[in-house]
Amino acid sequence: MSAFRPALCATFAAGLLLAAPAAEARFGKKSSDTSDSKKDDDKGSKVHAATPIRSSPREEAPSRPPPSRDDDCCDTAPSRGRASYSARIHGDALLAAAELLAIAVDDTQPVDLAVREQRPAQPLDVRMGLNVGAMGGGTAGDVFLGIEGEALGFAVQGTQLTLPTDDGTSGTDDLRLATVHLTWAAVSTDRMRWRVEGGVSTAMAPDITFVGPSLATSLEVCVAGPLDVEARVQGTAGTYRQLDASAGLALHLGALNLRGGVRGLILDDAGRVDGVQHVDRFVGPYAGAGFVF
């Protein structure tokens, strides 16, 4: 039962979003009575030129002077004898070293094979997909990419919201959300995978752009054959507030995944645009497809 607790929490969060009242003002957008006279000052960036590190030239080892040769002709025969003896000594040493090297190679080869058999290369899983849905009287598009090994990985997700204007004027309001997370699979079995995520999130509204720390958790549980239950909750606190919760089903058809469910989203700019707090609450269904390699 403990395995389904995160999924129940995500469903409960989505239910709270469904019960939330409609937004009265657009997130990250100035009120109609607020002047647009404030402009951000451009800040010049300074570039620090790095000084290359020069390595000192390598000093050449002095060559040894050639050995002196005696002028006495009587030393010719003994010198040939000494050269022959030295050659025999060096030859025996080389043969002994070659034999020792061959023995060492023969002894270590089975050990290397055993080590390679005990340490197989860990495969990487690549997840990507696209979801579309209805939200807040408009449309929502969501793309995601995740790459992970046995436990660690990273995930990138982006959302595009196209909504009707909150003041009744013609046109639309666009909101763009993005998260970049490092992921860790706290539990990973054949039937369940629970991830803990952390990173940064961004929100681009009509009149402001936010960046803040982000935490998330996701759960995938196999319930019957190729059918899985998926749930995910992501939150941001700090410069702005964001709560993104979704829950649904996924059907695995080989490398192809088909999914659908419900998603809830809360966005709060904390009055950082014009001193007036703007909060948006959205709930709607989604459907999509993806691939797993």
Side-chain angles (χ1 to χ4, degrees), residues 58-84:
R58 210 180 270 180
E59 296 181 357
E60 297 181 357
S63 59
R64 299 179 60 184
S68 60
R69 302 178 62 182
D70 298 335
D71 297 333
D72 193 356
C73 62
C74 298
D75 296 337
T76 304
S79 64
R80 284 199 302 268
R82 285 195 299 270
S84 177

Side-chain angles (χ1 to χ4, degrees):
M1 188 65 183
S2 60
F4 293 91
R5 190 172 300 171
L8 294 177
C9 294
T11 306
F12 180 71
L16 292 178
L17 294 174
L18 282 169
E24 297 180 357
R26 176 68 66 233
F27 163 82
K29 184 178 180 181
K30 295 179 180 179
S31 302
S32 57
D33 57 348
T34 304
S35 62
D36 299 331
S37 61
K38 297 182 180 179
K39 296 183 181 179
D40 297 332
D41 295 331
D42 296 333
K43 298 181 179 180
S45 60
K46 298 181 179 180
V47 179
H48 175 69
T51 303
I53 300 176
R54 298 181 180 178
S55 59
S56 58
R58 210 180 270 180
E59 296 181 357
E60 297 181 357
S63 59
R64 299 179 60 184
S68 60
R69 302 178 62 182
D70 298 335
D71 297 333
D72 193 356
C73 62
C74 298
D75 296 337
T76 304
S79 64
R80 284 199 302 268
R82 285 195 299 270
S84 177
Y85 176 77
S86 175
R88 287 197 303 271
I89 294 298
H90 287 83
D92 295 341
L94 291 175
L95 290 176
E99 291 178 359
L100 291 175
L101 181 60
I103 294 173
V105 170
D106 293 339
D107 291 340
T108 56
Q109 186 173 3
V111 177
D112 291 339
L113 292 177
V115 172
R116 290 177 184 176
E117 290 178 359
Q118 293 175 1
R119 291 161 138 194
Q122 296 296 337
L124 291 177
D125 293 333
V126 179
R127 300 175 293 111
M128 61 179 64
L130 170 66
N131 297 331
V132 294
M135 185 171 286
T139 60
D142 182 67
V143 294
F144 61 90
L145 170 66
I147 300 177
E148 60 184 348
E150 184 178 3
L152 299 178
F154 73 93
V156 180
Q157 181 172 343
T159 300
Q160 169 77 34
L161 297 173
T162 303
L163 308 169
T165 58
D166 59 326
D167 54 4
T169 59
S170 60
T172 58
D173 289 336
D174 293 334
L175 301 178
R176 297 180 179 88
L177 312 176
T179 58
V180 179
H181 285 173
L182 294 177
T183 65
W184 173 56
V187 178
S188 179
T189 65
D190 293 338
R191 302 184 62 86
M192 184 181 71
R193 193 170 184 89
W194 173 42
R195 302 180 186 88
V196 178
E197 308 177 12
V200 296
S201 64
T202 63
M204 298 179 62
D207 294 320
I208 195 171
T209 298
F210 293 104
V211 178
S214 175
L215 295 175
T217 180
S218 61
L219 177 69
E220 299 173 3
V221 179
C222 178
V223 292
L227 188 63
D228 287 1
V229 172
E230 296 182 342
R232 187 174 186 271
V233 178
Q234 180 268 335
T236 299
T239 56
Y240 75 107
R241 302 178 183 93
Q242 174 177 311
L243 178 62
D244 190 352
S246 62
L249 299 176
L251 181 63
H252 298 267
L253 303 176
L256 176 64
N257 294 341
L258 303 178
R259 56 176 49 88
V262 61
R263 180 182 182 184
L265 180 64
I266 297 178
L267 297 172
D268 183 359
D269 62 10
R272 295 183 178 274
V273 181
D274 53 4
V276 179
Q277 185 177 11
H278 304 83
V279 182
D280 274 333
R281 299 175 177 87
F282 309 113
V283 176
Y286 72 87
F291 295 94
V292 177
F293 303 98

